[in-house]
Short mmCIF file of all heavy atoms in Angstrom, two decimals:
data_model
loop_
_atom_site.label_atom_id
_atom_site.label_comp_id
_atom_site.label_asym_id
_atom_site.label_seq_id
_atom_site.Cartn_x
_atom_site.Cartn_y
_atom_site.Cartn_z
N CYS A 1 39.60 75.10 -11.83
CA CYS A 1 38.46 74.44 -12.51
C CYS A 1 37.15 74.73 -11.80
O CYS A 1 36.11 74.90 -12.44
CB CYS A 1 38.72 72.94 -12.60
SG CYS A 1 40.04 72.48 -13.74
N LEU A 2 37.18 74.78 -10.48
CA LEU A 2 35.96 75.09 -9.70
C LEU A 2 35.43 76.49 -10.05
O LEU A 2 34.24 76.73 -10.09
CB LEU A 2 36.24 74.98 -8.20
CG LEU A 2 36.28 73.58 -7.63
CD1 LEU A 2 36.78 73.61 -6.20
CD2 LEU A 2 34.92 72.89 -7.71
N VAL A 3 36.37 77.40 -10.29
CA VAL A 3 35.97 78.78 -10.61
C VAL A 3 35.58 78.92 -12.06
O VAL A 3 34.55 79.54 -12.41
CB VAL A 3 37.09 79.77 -10.26
CG1 VAL A 3 36.82 81.12 -10.88
CG2 VAL A 3 37.21 79.91 -8.74
N LEU A 4 36.36 78.33 -12.96
CA LEU A 4 36.10 78.52 -14.39
C LEU A 4 34.91 77.72 -14.88
O LEU A 4 34.13 78.20 -15.70
CB LEU A 4 37.36 78.13 -15.21
CG LEU A 4 38.59 78.99 -15.00
CD1 LEU A 4 39.72 78.46 -15.86
CD2 LEU A 4 38.31 80.47 -15.33
N ASP A 5 34.76 76.49 -14.40
CA ASP A 5 33.74 75.60 -14.96
C ASP A 5 32.87 74.92 -13.87
O ASP A 5 32.08 74.06 -14.21
CB ASP A 5 34.39 74.52 -15.83
CG ASP A 5 35.15 75.10 -17.00
OD1 ASP A 5 34.56 75.93 -17.73
OD2 ASP A 5 36.34 74.77 -17.16
N GLY A 6 33.04 75.28 -12.64
CA GLY A 6 32.32 74.66 -11.56
C GLY A 6 31.41 75.60 -10.80
O GLY A 6 31.21 76.75 -11.21
N PRO A 7 30.92 75.17 -9.67
CA PRO A 7 29.93 75.96 -8.90
C PRO A 7 30.48 77.28 -8.35
O PRO A 7 29.72 78.22 -8.18
CB PRO A 7 29.52 75.03 -7.76
CG PRO A 7 30.62 74.04 -7.66
CD PRO A 7 31.15 73.85 -9.03
N LEU A 8 31.79 77.36 -8.12
CA LEU A 8 32.33 78.61 -7.59
C LEU A 8 32.20 79.75 -8.58
O LEU A 8 32.12 80.91 -8.20
CB LEU A 8 33.79 78.44 -7.21
CG LEU A 8 34.10 77.74 -5.89
CD1 LEU A 8 35.60 77.64 -5.66
CD2 LEU A 8 33.41 78.44 -4.74
N GLY A 9 32.16 79.41 -9.86
CA GLY A 9 32.01 80.47 -10.87
C GLY A 9 30.72 81.23 -10.71
O GLY A 9 30.67 82.44 -10.87
N ALA A 10 29.64 80.49 -10.40
CA ALA A 10 28.33 81.12 -10.22
C ALA A 10 28.25 81.86 -8.91
O ALA A 10 27.63 82.91 -8.81
CB ALA A 10 27.23 80.06 -10.30
N GLU A 11 28.91 81.33 -7.88
CA GLU A 11 28.87 81.94 -6.57
C GLU A 11 29.74 83.19 -6.50
O GLU A 11 29.51 84.09 -5.68
CB GLU A 11 29.33 80.95 -5.51
CG GLU A 11 28.39 79.76 -5.37
CD GLU A 11 28.98 78.69 -4.44
OE1 GLU A 11 29.91 79.03 -3.67
OE2 GLU A 11 28.50 77.55 -4.49
N LEU A 12 30.76 83.24 -7.38
CA LEU A 12 31.71 84.37 -7.39
C LEU A 12 31.68 84.98 -8.80
O LEU A 12 32.57 84.69 -9.62
CB LEU A 12 33.11 83.90 -7.02
CG LEU A 12 33.24 83.15 -5.67
CD1 LEU A 12 34.59 82.47 -5.57
CD2 LEU A 12 33.05 84.13 -4.52
N PRO A 13 30.71 85.81 -9.12
CA PRO A 13 30.55 86.27 -10.51
C PRO A 13 31.57 87.29 -10.99
O PRO A 13 31.75 87.44 -12.19
CB PRO A 13 29.14 86.89 -10.50
CG PRO A 13 28.92 87.31 -9.07
CD PRO A 13 29.64 86.30 -8.23
N THR A 14 32.24 88.00 -10.08
CA THR A 14 33.19 89.02 -10.53
C THR A 14 34.63 88.49 -10.37
O THR A 14 34.91 87.66 -9.51
CB THR A 14 33.04 90.32 -9.71
OG1 THR A 14 33.48 90.07 -8.36
CG2 THR A 14 31.62 90.78 -9.69
N GLU A 15 35.51 89.03 -11.24
CA GLU A 15 36.91 88.59 -11.14
C GLU A 15 37.53 88.99 -9.81
O GLU A 15 38.34 88.27 -9.24
CB GLU A 15 37.72 89.19 -12.28
CG GLU A 15 39.17 88.71 -12.28
CD GLU A 15 39.92 89.06 -13.54
OE1 GLU A 15 39.29 89.33 -14.58
OE2 GLU A 15 41.17 89.05 -13.49
N GLU A 16 37.14 90.15 -9.30
CA GLU A 16 37.66 90.60 -8.01
C GLU A 16 37.31 89.60 -6.92
O GLU A 16 38.15 89.24 -6.08
CB GLU A 16 37.10 91.97 -7.66
CG GLU A 16 37.64 92.55 -6.36
CD GLU A 16 37.07 93.91 -6.03
OE1 GLU A 16 36.18 94.35 -6.76
OE2 GLU A 16 37.51 94.51 -5.05
N ALA A 17 36.04 89.14 -6.90
CA ALA A 17 35.62 88.17 -5.88
C ALA A 17 36.33 86.85 -6.06
O ALA A 17 36.71 86.21 -5.08
CB ALA A 17 34.11 87.99 -5.97
N ARG A 18 36.52 86.45 -7.31
CA ARG A 18 37.21 85.19 -7.57
C ARG A 18 38.65 85.23 -7.11
O ARG A 18 39.14 84.31 -6.46
CB ARG A 18 37.14 84.87 -9.08
CG ARG A 18 35.73 84.55 -9.54
CD ARG A 18 35.68 84.27 -11.03
NE ARG A 18 34.33 83.93 -11.44
CZ ARG A 18 33.99 83.51 -12.66
NH1 ARG A 18 34.94 83.38 -13.60
NH2 ARG A 18 32.75 83.21 -12.94
N ARG A 19 39.34 86.30 -7.44
CA ARG A 19 40.73 86.41 -7.02
C ARG A 19 40.85 86.42 -5.48
O ARG A 19 41.75 85.77 -4.93
CB ARG A 19 41.37 87.68 -7.61
CG ARG A 19 41.69 87.57 -9.09
CD ARG A 19 42.43 88.81 -9.58
NE ARG A 19 42.70 88.72 -11.00
CZ ARG A 19 43.77 88.16 -11.54
NH1 ARG A 19 44.69 87.62 -10.76
NH2 ARG A 19 43.95 88.14 -12.86
N ALA A 20 39.99 87.16 -4.84
CA ALA A 20 40.04 87.24 -3.39
C ALA A 20 39.82 85.86 -2.75
O ALA A 20 40.52 85.47 -1.82
CB ALA A 20 38.99 88.24 -2.86
N HIS A 21 38.82 85.13 -3.28
CA HIS A 21 38.55 83.81 -2.72
C HIS A 21 39.70 82.84 -2.97
O HIS A 21 40.11 82.11 -2.07
CB HIS A 21 37.26 83.24 -3.39
CG HIS A 21 36.92 81.86 -2.94
ND1 HIS A 21 36.16 81.64 -1.81
CD2 HIS A 21 37.23 80.64 -3.44
CE1 HIS A 21 36.03 80.34 -1.63
NE2 HIS A 21 36.65 79.70 -2.62
N LEU A 22 40.24 82.85 -4.17
CA LEU A 22 41.34 81.97 -4.51
C LEU A 22 42.58 82.26 -3.66
O LEU A 22 43.29 81.34 -3.21
CB LEU A 22 41.67 82.06 -6.00
CG LEU A 22 40.57 81.55 -6.95
CD1 LEU A 22 40.97 81.80 -8.39
CD2 LEU A 22 40.34 80.05 -6.73
N MET A 23 42.86 83.51 -3.46
CA MET A 23 44.02 83.88 -2.66
C MET A 23 43.83 83.50 -1.19
O MET A 23 44.78 83.07 -0.52
CB MET A 23 44.34 85.37 -2.78
CG MET A 23 44.84 85.79 -4.18
SD MET A 23 46.30 84.83 -4.74
CE MET A 23 45.53 83.55 -5.76
N GLU A 24 42.61 83.62 -0.69
CA GLU A 24 42.35 83.19 0.70
C GLU A 24 42.48 81.71 0.84
O GLU A 24 43.08 81.22 1.79
CB GLU A 24 40.93 83.64 1.11
CG GLU A 24 40.61 83.31 2.56
CD GLU A 24 39.22 83.73 2.99
OE1 GLU A 24 38.49 84.34 2.16
OE2 GLU A 24 38.85 83.45 4.15
N ALA A 25 41.93 80.95 -0.11
CA ALA A 25 42.05 79.49 -0.08
C ALA A 25 43.51 79.08 -0.16
O ALA A 25 43.95 78.14 0.54
CB ALA A 25 41.23 78.88 -1.20
N SER A 26 44.29 79.75 -0.99
CA SER A 26 45.68 79.42 -1.15
C SER A 26 46.50 79.74 0.09
O SER A 26 47.45 79.04 0.44
CB SER A 26 46.28 80.14 -2.36
OG SER A 26 45.63 79.72 -3.55
N ALA A 27 46.10 80.81 0.77
CA ALA A 27 46.77 81.17 2.03
C ALA A 27 46.54 80.09 3.08
O ALA A 27 47.46 79.70 3.83
CB ALA A 27 46.28 82.52 2.53
#
């Protein structure tokens, strides 16, 4: 939700950046 509809979406505009961030947070 933070990525799709929250502030992280604006901070991470590309799908590649979003996936990398999400995988790092999940790790």
